[in-house]
Amino acid sequence: MPAEKRVFLLLQGPHGPFFDRLGKQLRAAGATVWRVGFNAGDGFFWSDRDHYIAHTASPEEWPEHLERLLAEKGITDLVLYGDVRPVHAAARAAAQERGLVLHVFEEGYLRPYWITYERGGSNGHSRLMEIGLRDMRLSLRGRKGETRRPPARWGDMRQHKFYGALYHFLVLVANRRYTGYRTHREISVLQEFRLNFRRFLLSPYDALARMREARAVERGGFPYVLVLMQLEHDASFRAHSDFARMSEFTDQVMEDFARAAPRHHHLVFKAHPLEDGRGGIRHAVEAKAEALKIGKRVHYVRGGKLARLLAQARAAVTVNSTAAQQALWRGLPVRSMGRAVYDKPDLISKQPLADFFDAPDRPSQRAYGIYRDYLLETSQVPGGFYAAHSRAHALRLVVDLVLAADDPYDALATGRSQHRQQLSDVKD
């Protein structure tokens, strides 16, 4: 369908101006673009006021409102950032029922310096869950993705924190119009803002603390398994695992480690870079370790650079963090405890966790090479959501992906995939 006949409806996007810039590019191509905002933060980052629709009613009234919009505006395409939060889950269901094209953005499955673009769903709803390595190999037709190691530095984190704090500040002080707004998180908007603002202000202190904690591990001289933590409120953790709380996961990890790991081995919990302490997970880890009498063998490192910790790790354990892909990239054994797009034969260990701590199975580097090359040729877009330079780099490619007739996986399989820019200049 030509762009002039397409009508896009964008819902909630990444904090910051990414969706606004995407909308401008789609309009420049000839498409009609609408945006629904659910709070003042959404509205602030949308510049086309004539095509902005405020949902001021309650979340329970959103599905009915969405149905009216789809009919009245003649929507052909829905665009989301993540597909699990309640307003987006309703949109995903509506798209399936009406046969609309559903475009889903997410943080990069390969990180850093990539974002994810898929159709139909992401993470546990991604088509990757059903595509086997054999089909990936056939689709590649001998193509090779970029061979560099993942960069050690995530270029957008400072901007990510800034936009998160600004977004929640706007929701806190300018949300009078949105009388029915209710956050999908378990804490209030005021608490969310305080945590984001505190995290932003304390970034220099946290950086020093991270360096100290990481140095203690690096200089400890002990073998260790790295536990890749996620945010407890992360949609992928909640929707695509059987854990209700992060402490359930960490407890299981420490219990099996205490029972089966060699006595001179250690366990290092690496917090997510955006961890703000709302769940008290550090205290929970330390308390459980003491109860199991392994306190001296358990370490907690605040978020930050992952590469150096991975470089010396023996193996990695996670629920379904995308950070596990960096471990696989380095040939480390990985045990995933949830549903993940990289959970493929020859990549992820299927051992009982206790056996994994004792003698972990290594991934097939050939299999991971196929998987990684496939992602780089399909759903992984070089660039980022938050920093101006990396955002511009991503938009150069992603607009044509959105307008393309085929989704990235079908495009590669049929030989119609687009050229991918290199990553050498994606820095801030």
Side-chain angles (χ1 to χ4, degrees):
M1 183 185 300
E4 293 79 5
K5 293 185 178 181
R6 297 174 72 170
V7 183
F8 288 85
L9 181 64
L10 280 63
L11 302 186
Q12 289 190 300
H15 296 152
F18 182 84
F19 263 24
D20 183 63
R21 304 296 190 271
L22 175 62
K24 287 181 179 179
Q25 294 276 19
L26 292 172
R27 287 196 299 274
T32 302
V33 184
W34 294 89
R35 172 78 188 270
V36 174
F38 298 84
N39 57 54
D42 295 335
F44 179 82
F45 289 110
W46 187 254
S47 59
D48 183 8
R49 309 316 299 177
D50 292 337
H51 289 82
Y52 179 77
I53 302 164
H55 178 74
T56 58
S58 68
E60 288 75 20
E61 296 172 87
W62 164 240
E64 182 179 346
H65 186 190
L66 174 62
E67 288 294 331
R68 292 199 307 271
L69 290 176
L70 297 179
E72 293 171 4
K73 305 298 184 185
I75 302 300
T76 61
D77 297 72
L78 281 165
V79 185
L80 321 174
Y81 172 64
D83 65 353
V84 174
R85 68 182 71 178
V87 298
H88 288 173
R92 181 162 51 82
Q96 291 173 344
E97 182 178 338
R98 288 174 168 262
L100 306 178
V101 182
L102 183 70
H103 309 266
V104 183
F105 289 90
E106 253 295 0
E107 303 293 342
Y109 292 151
L110 301 178
R111 297 191 195 180
Y113 299 132
W114 286 276
I115 64 174
T116 296
Y117 166 74
E118 297 180 280
R119 296 189 186 178
S122 64
N123 292 311
H125 298 137
S126 169
R127 288 185 61 191
L128 285 172
M129 301 295 291
E130 308 300 327
I131 302 174
L133 289 171
R134 179 180 179 276
D135 290 334
M136 292 181 182
R137 179 176 56 81
L138 292 174
S139 293
L140 282 168
R141 296 180 175 86
R143 297 189 192 191
K144 290 287 185 181
E146 191 182 11
T147 57
R148 295 190 330 169
R149 290 280 187 181
R153 174 173 160 272
W154 172 246
D156 283 9
M157 189 53 65
R158 176 167 47 87
Q159 294 88 342
H160 193 163
K161 292 178 180 179
F162 169 77
Y163 282 129
L166 175 59
Y167 182 90
H168 289 99
F169 174 74
L170 292 166
V171 176
L172 182 65
V173 303
N175 221 43
R176 184 175 301 176
R177 178 184 182 187
Y178 301 86
T179 54
Y181 174 73
R182 190 168 69 247
T183 178
H184 63 282
R185 302 280 172 80
E186 293 182 351
I187 64 175
S188 69
V189 174
L190 178 59
Q191 291 172 307
E192 189 87 35
F193 166 71
R194 285 174 174 169
L195 289 169
N196 275 274
F197 190 60
R198 177 183 178 276
R199 184 178 62 206
F200 181 68
L201 289 180
L202 293 180
S203 291
Y205 167 78
D206 285 340
L208 291 173
R210 284 196 303 270
M211 289 175 58
R212 184 178 66 251
E213 293 162 354
R215 188 176 292 118
V217 173
E218 292 166 8
R219 296 179 179 179
F222 44 75
Y224 63 86
V225 173
L226 192 63
V227 183
L228 303 170
M229 305 281 282
Q230 294 164 254
L231 299 176
E232 189 171 86
H233 57 274
D234 177 75
S236 184
F237 173 79
R238 287 291 182 92
H240 304 303
S241 82
D242 296 328
F243 299 108
R245 298 287 177 186
M246 184 58 67
S247 59
E248 297 176 8
F249 164 66
T250 56
D251 284 356
Q252 181 178 343
V253 167
M254 284 186 283
E255 288 167 4
D256 284 338
F257 178 83
R259 182 168 69 252
R263 295 174 65 87
H264 62 292
H265 285 196
H266 288 224
L267 199 59
V268 178
F269 288 87
K270 164 68 170 58
H272 189 279
L274 296 178
E275 177 60 54
D276 53 25
R278 71 181 62 181
I281 190 61
R282 178 169 192 157
H283 174 74
V285 166
E286 292 172 347
K288 183 68 173 180
E290 290 299 325
L292 292 170
K293 302 187 186 317
I294 56 171
K296 293 183 179 180
R297 298 167 60 201
V298 173
H299 312 265
Y300 186 96
V301 178
R302 282 169 248 211
K305 296 179 181 180
L306 178 61
R308 290 178 63 175
L309 288 172
L310 278 175
Q312 301 180 49
R314 182 173 183 264
V317 177
T318 187
V319 177
N320 51 18
S321 171
T322 55
Q325 307 243 21
Q326 289 200 36
L328 291 170
W329 202 319
R330 290 165 170 82
L332 292 179
V334 173
R335 181 69 167 87
S336 173
M337 307 295 288
R339 295 173 289 281
V341 293
Y342 49 78
D343 190 355
K344 305 290 183 185
D346 297 325
L347 294 185
I348 301 302
S349 170
K350 297 300 181 183
Q351 299 167 277
L353 189 56
D355 293 345
F356 181 83
F357 282 127
D358 181 41
D361 291 338
R362 295 185 61 184
S364 162
Q365 285 300 91
R366 181 177 179 275
Y368 184 68
I370 293 170
Y371 175 77
R372 174 180 147 277
D373 288 343
Y374 184 78
L375 262 62
L376 289 173
E377 290 288 340
T378 54
S379 61
Q380 299 308 286
V381 179
F385 292 122
Y386 307 102
H389 188 179
S390 57
R391 181 172 59 242
H393 199 91
L395 286 168
R396 290 187 188 101
L397 180 60
V398 81
V399 174
D400 287 336
L401 290 174
V402 170
L403 291 170
D406 299 316
D407 91 340
Y409 303 126
D410 289 336
L412 184 64
T414 57
R416 294 194 292 268
S417 60
Q418 301 175 25
H419 169 69
R420 295 301 177 105
Q421 293 112 323
Q422 298 301 304
L423 295 171
S424 57
D425 295 327
V426 187
K427 296 179 181 179
D428 285 282

